[in-house]
Amino acid sequence: MPFTTSALGTSLRLTNRYIPYDVIRLIFENMHSDAERRALALVSRACLECFTQYTPRDLSIYGRRNLNLLLELLRGSGSSEWMTERLAHIPTLRISPRKIKAPCFVDTVLVRLQPLMPAMENLVLHHCIHPPIIPFLFRSLRQLSRSNCIRSLEVSHFKIVNFSELRSMITACQQLEELVLCYGKIVRAGRPPQMLSAGTLQLAHGPKLTQVRLAHSEARLYVALVDLLVQGAYCKHIRDLAMIQAAPPYCDWSTAHLLSVIGSSLQHLSLVDRSPVAYASSKW
């Protein structure tokens, strides 16, 4: 049975003199919320010191108001230096608006927080990529990629007008190693978007992906993404590939083609809710 915050605090208060500081730090790192950490910080001086030195693993922005409040705290006196120091060591930025249909503000978040988060290497975009996508977003991603080594990009529950928007996001992160795309959809009806020729894509400096996870993607989005990975030679270093209901059965040829191009570099393959028969004859 897991400890509640009050029970854990009582336990630490009774035995605090015998608990090493490193153990208290590990307890803080594995707690689920800042509310629990603040409650535990009141237990003893050692807990309070650990709380003030604790650096969270990620920063979550839920809206413009949330962002403005953070910037006001950073401009204020007192705790601004402490907060700036903590931000400088946070590796993950999560942008997830509470209102699903809220106007896209990702570019604003990246421009304002990029100078404050030099250690950022993971970017998570949840429910915040949808039409109309501001072109400045792609420039912000390119600037972020130059200043920070973005190693991981996760985009979930997103809608795009055409595939070139997603392609611009992926190619803007030139140091990208991990790509996660979940619940994607192209909202414009009509023909699938035309892809660049293989020669054009290979001339561009693109990411060398080592981990890719695709889940619940629309068929034409999935096919266009596979074409990008194959023609742009972004998939030759993939070691870990996971597909969770990534595409309907009539896209099996695209999947088999992707596996054949990846070849011997693939070490881990996960196909969920898919029949392995279609890939049995693939030479990869």
Side-chain angles (χ1 to χ4, degrees):
M1 182 176 180
F3 270 121
T4 61
T5 304
S6 58
L8 182 59
T10 302
S11 177
L12 285 176
R13 187 180 296 109
L14 294 176
T15 60
N16 182 61
R17 67 181 63 182
Y18 306 109
I19 298 179
Y21 181 82
D22 289 343
V23 175
I24 300 178
R25 180 176 56 81
L26 289 174
I27 293 175
F28 269 89
E29 290 180 353
N30 288 278
M31 300 191 81
H32 296 293
S33 67
D34 282 340
E36 294 179 348
R37 296 186 185 94
R38 285 193 295 269
L40 193 58
L42 302 176
V43 172
S44 66
R45 291 183 179 179
C47 292
L48 178 60
E49 181 182 355
C50 187
F51 175 75
T52 57
Q53 295 181 2
Y54 168 75
T55 299
R57 298 174 182 174
D58 57 58
L59 172 67
S60 297
I61 300 295
Y62 300 107
R64 291 182 182 272
R65 182 179 180 182
N66 188 220
L67 174 64
N68 293 334
L69 178 60
L70 174 62
L71 295 176
E72 288 179 7
L73 291 174
L74 291 173
R75 286 193 296 265
S77 59
S79 62
S80 58
E81 294 183 2
W82 172 68
M83 293 185 63
T84 302
E85 183 179 355
R86 293 180 74 181
L87 280 176
H89 294 88
I90 297 178
T92 302
L93 173 62
R94 299 177 183 273
I95 305 176
S96 177
R98 297 188 185 278
K99 296 181 180 180
I100 296 178
K101 295 184 178 181
C104 182
F105 64 100
V106 177
D107 57 321
T108 304
V109 177
L110 296 181
V111 169
R112 302 301 296 272
L113 295 184
Q114 179 268 327
L116 302 173
M117 300 179 65
M120 179 172 54
E121 58 182 17
N122 308 311
L123 180 60
V124 180
L125 306 176
H126 178 69
H127 266 305
C128 56
I129 300 299
H130 53 76
I133 298 179
I134 303 174
F136 190 68
L137 170 62
F138 308 128
R139 295 196 293 271
S140 301
L141 283 173
R142 285 193 293 270
Q143 181 63 35
L144 181 65
S145 181
R146 296 189 189 102
S147 304
N148 304 66
C149 293
I150 299 299
R151 306 290 185 183
S152 174
L153 175 64
E154 178 179 341
V155 187
S156 63
H157 294 84
F158 64 96
K159 296 180 180 180
I160 54 178
V161 174
N162 57 66
F163 183 75
S164 63
E165 296 175 339
L166 181 60
R167 181 181 63 208
S168 298
M169 292 178 59
I170 295 174
T171 56
C173 304
Q174 298 182 6
Q175 305 297 324
L176 193 64
E177 297 178 357
E178 180 182 3
L179 177 64
V180 180
L181 299 175
C182 303
Y183 296 97
K185 183 179 181 181
I186 299 178
V187 295
R188 173 173 291 178
R191 299 182 304 174
Q194 294 181 353
M195 299 297 299
L196 294 176
S197 64
T200 303
L201 283 171
Q202 290 175 355
L203 288 175
H205 296 286
K208 294 182 179 179
L209 299 173
T210 58
Q211 300 180 54
V212 175
R213 181 188 175 199
L214 307 175
H216 306 281
S217 300
E218 188 183 50
R220 54 181 175 169
L221 175 62
Y222 174 78
V223 172
L225 178 62
V226 170
D227 287 343
L228 173 66
L229 297 178
V230 171
Q231 295 180 15
Y234 304 151
C235 63
K236 292 185 177 181
H237 302 277
I238 292 179
R239 299 193 304 266
D240 192 341
L241 177 63
M243 296 186 178
I244 304 174
Q245 295 181 350
Y250 59 82
C251 296
D252 286 344
W253 183 89
S254 295
T255 305
H257 185 41
L258 175 62
L259 294 176
S260 64
V261 173
I262 295 175
S264 59
S265 65
L266 187 62
Q267 299 178 6
H268 303 283
L269 174 63
S270 177
L271 301 174
V272 180
D273 197 22
R274 305 291 286 108
S275 173
V277 178
Y279 316 121
S281 59
S282 301
K283 297 180 180 179
W284 54 277

